[in-house]
């Protein structure tokens, strides 16, 4: 699966939130890590909790937001 993630901003916990090419919201729960740890957002809400981890080939637009 290939997924394009577009940065929307940061949630209440300062985690980067992205909108996927599938119109779902995703969050990087470890923005300090070398590799992204992308999870869906519970209820597809911007400030929702991280839900299910995903494994996909990811392209970040404009780039991956890290700390």
């Amino acid at each position: 699966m290939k997924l394009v993630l577009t940065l929307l901003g940061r949630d209440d916990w300062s985690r980067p939130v992205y909108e996927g090419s599938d119109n779902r919201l995703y969050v990087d729960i470890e923005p300090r890590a070398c590799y992204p740890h992308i999870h869906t957002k519970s209820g597809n809400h911007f400030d929702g909790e991280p839900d299910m981890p995903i494994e996909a080939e990811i392209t970040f637009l404009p780039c991956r937001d890290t700390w």
Side-chain angles (χ1 to χ4, degrees):
M1 177 170 113
K2 185 171 184 170
L3 187 61
V4 176
L5 298 182
T6 303
L7 181 64
L8 295 178
R10 293 188 178 183
D11 65 10
D12 287 345
W13 290 84
S14 295
R15 299 174 297 213
V17 177
Y18 302 90
E19 182 175 24
S21 50
D22 58 357
N23 294 319
R24 290 196 48 102
L25 295 180
Y26 296 91
V27 60
D28 187 350
I29 63 166
E30 287 293 334
R32 295 173 291 189
C34 293
Y35 299 100
H37 294 112
I38 304 297
H39 286 63
T40 58
K41 279 288 207 169
S42 180
N44 209 38
H45 296 287
F46 188 87
D47 288 316
E49 291 295 317
D51 196 15
M52 300 297 298
I54 64 159
E55 290 188 28
E57 181 181 334
I58 299 171
T59 301
F60 292 96
L61 295 177
C63 61
R64 181 177 173 225
D65 184 21
T66 59
W67 298 345

